[in-house]
Amino acid sequence: MSAVSRRDMAWMLVLVLVLGVVWVARGDLARAGDPPPQGVDVVYVAVGSNFPDSLGVGSGAALYGAPVILVPTNPPIPAVTAAELVRLDPKTVVIVGGTAVISS
């Protein structure tokens, strides 16, 4: 059995904080509410109640400037979430964890 050391936890916290600062700093590049001109290339969809999936995809999505949409495990998808997906008009939707985590 392996345990996570305090040093590893500290580095993970530092990584999360640095990524958060980078994400906020990039926020001035986009104006909230404005639709992208021709949609986005990819949107990552992760379940909101399972933090490892959504946290794990966050850094990769940030690298490409792709949004991460959090949804419940089972339908229905909230109306505001569906409206955001329509607004983003993604070419590709990646379901993080697959349909075993988020139902079709």
Side-chain angles (χ1 to χ4, degrees):
M1 173 165 50
S2 73
V4 177
S5 70
R6 289 182 186 212
R7 184 188 70 202
D8 293 339
M9 289 296 289
W11 278 113
M12 284 189 282
L13 179 62
V14 167
L15 179 62
V16 168
L17 291 174
V18 167
L19 289 174
V21 168
V22 169
W23 189 256
V24 169
R26 291 194 60 197
D28 64 348
L29 300 177
R31 295 187 330 217
D34 287 348
Q38 294 148 348
V40 295
D41 290 331
V42 65
V43 168
Y44 294 93
V45 177
V47 66
S49 61
N50 186 1
F51 77 92
D53 286 344
S54 53
L55 184 61
V57 76
S59 58
L63 182 65
Y64 296 108
V68 177
I69 305 289
L70 300 178
V71 297
T73 302
N74 293 314
I77 292 177
V80 294
T81 304
E84 183 64 8
L85 284 169
V86 169
R87 184 188 76 82
L88 290 172
D89 189 26
K91 295 178 181 129
T92 305
V93 175
V94 177
I95 299 175
V96 180
T99 55
V101 178
I102 301 173
S103 66
S104 299

